[in-house]
Amino acid sequence: MSKWFLGLLLTFLLVVVTACGGESASKTQEGSSANEGSENVVSGGDERSGWPDKFIFGLLPTEDQAELAKRYDPLIEYLEEYLGMDVELYNVANYTALIEAMANGHIHGSTFGPFSYLLAHERANGEAFAIPIRQEGGTLDDIFYYAQMITLEEHGVNSLEDIKGNSLAYADPASASGHLFPKAMLINELGLTMDNVDDFPSDVIFSGSHEASLYSVLNGDVKTAGVCSTCIERVFDRVKDHKNFDQLKVFHESAPIPGGPYVIQGDLPQSFKDKVKQAFLDMKDHEQGKKFLEENDYLGGYAEVGHEVYNVVQETAEALGLSPEDLLN
């Protein structure tokens, strides 16, 4: 009787263990499949996957830094709302530092001049994505500006030839309108070369910015300077009371130059890059965005732009025999 009962008990336990084991294995397999599916949904469906914690935007001090920060406050507020993240400005001293900051991941986006953009594209995988339009209802045809040579009437400088023996200020070594195009004008129109172009004036200095070059001329520190047409127009309200302002004149102007683009680091997630681009393209339709556009005279908002627009700048650099090292030094 006890043997029969013991055998029956063992059989019953075997059936229970087998059933429980099968059920446990089934649950484990189902659970694993569910987890895998959940991971795929989170990874593939999260549009913000891989986004930075905050958007860091680099700025070059083309004018007084306090004024620059004031102008960019509305942009920060707009982008923070549009992107749903903190936005921080990152100030640097020159284009070289700006490019290095992007290459090293310290900034995610910035504005560049046409030549410095070529370097950012080559060295930091920078991608041009937008460009400001100054005319309401404007198109890409309105993005061009000029390199201008300026002086005071009292110096009697009326042409490029008259720069000979007079002092000349450039803005930044990698500035298109503040250095490279003015230098190209001297080479192409006067028959100078890269070997002797800097010996043509009596003295050559780099002021650090277009506004600084303008003040250098107004204050009599130099007799001539190469500047960006739109850059100095933007600061006229601050310098129009200068005692020498009425003597200021443009004595030579370059061919049209495409404006500097807004650039984003190309290694960032595509969804993030697309969102940032769309933020700039949509800016004119948002109240806070309009404040920034109006403050900066970008009445047409932003237009989408690609690398191909800057082929003419690349060709100019090649014509001048300028390597990336030349542009940075």
Side-chain angles (χ1 to χ4, degrees), residues 18-254:
T18 302
C20 290
E23 182 180 356
S24 176
S26 176
K27 286 184 177 179
T28 301
Q29 185 175 3
E30 289 175 3
S32 176
S33 297
N35 288 338
E36 288 175 4
S38 175
E39 288 174 359
N40 288 335
V41 169
V42 171
S43 176
D46 184 2
E47 293 182 354
R48 301 175 76 91
S49 177
W51 284 29
D53 293 332
K54 61 182 175 182
F55 181 42
I56 304 177
F57 192 82
L59 277 184
L60 185 73
T62 55
E63 56 188 273
D64 179 75
Q65 287 197 18
E67 290 290 335
L68 199 63
K70 181 181 177 182
R71 284 202 294 114
Y72 274 81
D73 280 344
L75 177 66
I76 293 175
E77 294 180 23
Y78 166 73
L79 288 177
E80 286 185 336
E81 180 180 351
Y82 196 102
L83 300 176
M85 63 169 58
D86 290 338
V87 176
E88 178 183 309
L89 295 182
Y90 185 97
N91 292 303
V92 298
N94 52 49
Y95 283 119
T96 302
L98 199 61
I99 294 165
E100 290 178 352
M102 179 170 283
N104 293 325
H106 299 314
I107 63 173
H108 304 119
S110 185
T111 61
F112 284 94
F115 278 101
S116 57
Y117 160 64
L118 295 179
L119 294 177
H121 179 73
E122 177 181 326
R123 297 192 169 188
N125 195 24
E127 298 178 357
F129 68 89
I131 192 165
I133 303 295
R134 296 191 175 276
Q135 300 297 323
E136 190 170 359
T139 66
L140 274 179
D141 292 335
D142 302 310
I143 70 172
F144 297 97
Y145 68 109
Y146 301 88
Q148 295 178 330
M149 305 297 284
I150 61 173
T151 188
L152 298 181
E153 288 281 1
E154 65 184 37
H155 298 318
V157 176
N158 298 304
S159 65
L160 291 180
E161 289 87 346
D162 294 335
I163 293 177
K164 184 176 183 179
N166 286 307
S167 51
L168 172 63
Y170 293 125
D172 181 276
S175 171
S177 56
H179 176 221
L180 299 173
F181 273 88
K183 181 170 285 186
M185 287 191 291
L186 293 175
I187 291 173
N188 293 333
E189 299 183 40
L190 299 182
L192 301 176
T193 68
M194 285 295 292
D195 293 330
N196 61 24
V197 64
D198 288 335
D199 296 326
F200 188 69
S202 62
D203 187 32
V204 173
I205 68 165
F206 286 100
S207 69
S209 72
H210 297 275
E211 185 173 4
S213 290
L214 173 60
Y215 273 110
S216 293
V217 170
L218 288 172
N219 293 334
D221 298 325
V222 295
K223 291 187 177 180
T224 64
V227 295
C228 156
S229 59
T230 55
C231 294
I232 62 170
E233 286 170 6
R234 200 161 50 231
V235 301
F236 271 178
D237 285 342
R238 296 207 298 275
V239 301
K240 63 184 179 182
D241 293 330
H242 193 284
K243 64 179 182 179
N244 290 327
F245 183 77
D246 290 339
Q247 283 203 61
L248 187 67
K249 74 173 184 179
V250 176
F251 66 90
H252 200 79
E253 193 170 74
S254 73

